[in-house]
Amino acid sequence: ANRLGLWGPGAAFRDAATFSTEIKNGGTGAMELLAMQMKREGKYLVRSLSFKGASFDVEEMQMTNEQVEMWDKSAELWDVIIRVFTDAQERAKEGTTTLKRGIMSQVWGAHQRFFASLLMAVKVPGTVRIAKQALEEGKSV
């Protein structure tokens, strides 16, 4: 994959590990954007991915007061969850360091998945509004 120029001098990513981490953290959306960029540059051939007549815009969604409150309460809840797990680990007399790290890795993984899902959820109303407007204009969605 190094020959594709996805990392290294002059690329957006320093090395393969950075590339892999960033794409994984970006989720499906990052992978789709990467596939689109690679196809545009002639580095990727997919018959089901066509740009003909297609375009997209990046929109910034403003959170409502209710969504901000939900986000803040979620952050408070996760603060408690993480403190409980951290305290439990400090008090635990049994279990290897590897086991304890594995547990915290699972907690942090759940934390990341939760906030990724919540972030996606708060975008839904704005996305639906944009899609409806595009349909009214006779565009494909």
Side-chain angles (χ1 to χ4, degrees), residues 77-140:
L77 173 64
W78 273 99
D79 183 53
V80 171
I81 291 169
I82 290 166
R83 275 190 278 127
V84 166
F85 272 92
T86 302
D87 292 346
Q89 280 194 321
E90 289 173 3
R91 288 193 307 268
K93 294 180 181 172
E94 295 181 18
T96 65
T97 301
T98 303
L99 175 65
K100 291 178 181 180
R101 284 186 188 149
I103 291 169
M104 285 310 291
S105 177
Q106 292 296 316
V107 171
W108 283 110
H111 174 271
Q112 293 296 315
R113 287 187 300 279
F114 174 85
F115 279 101
S117 296
L118 184 57
L119 184 58
M120 187 68 68
V122 299
K123 294 178 181 181
V124 170
T127 303
V128 169
R129 177 185 47 76
I130 291 168
K132 286 180 176 180
Q133 180 180 348
L135 289 172
E136 287 174 8
E137 295 171 3
K139 297 177 181 176
S140 296

Side-chain angles (χ1 to χ4, degrees), residues 30-59:
M31 290 181 230
E32 289 175 352
L33 287 173
L34 175 63
M36 290 185 337
Q37 176 185 344
M38 290 174 64
K39 181 171 169 112
R40 187 182 75 239
E41 294 172 354
K43 297 177 181 177
Y44 187 55
L45 177 64
V46 178
R47 290 190 172 111
S48 63
L49 185 62
S50 172
F51 293 115
K52 189 172 183 175
S55 65
F56 71 92
D57 295 314
V58 176
E59 296 281 336

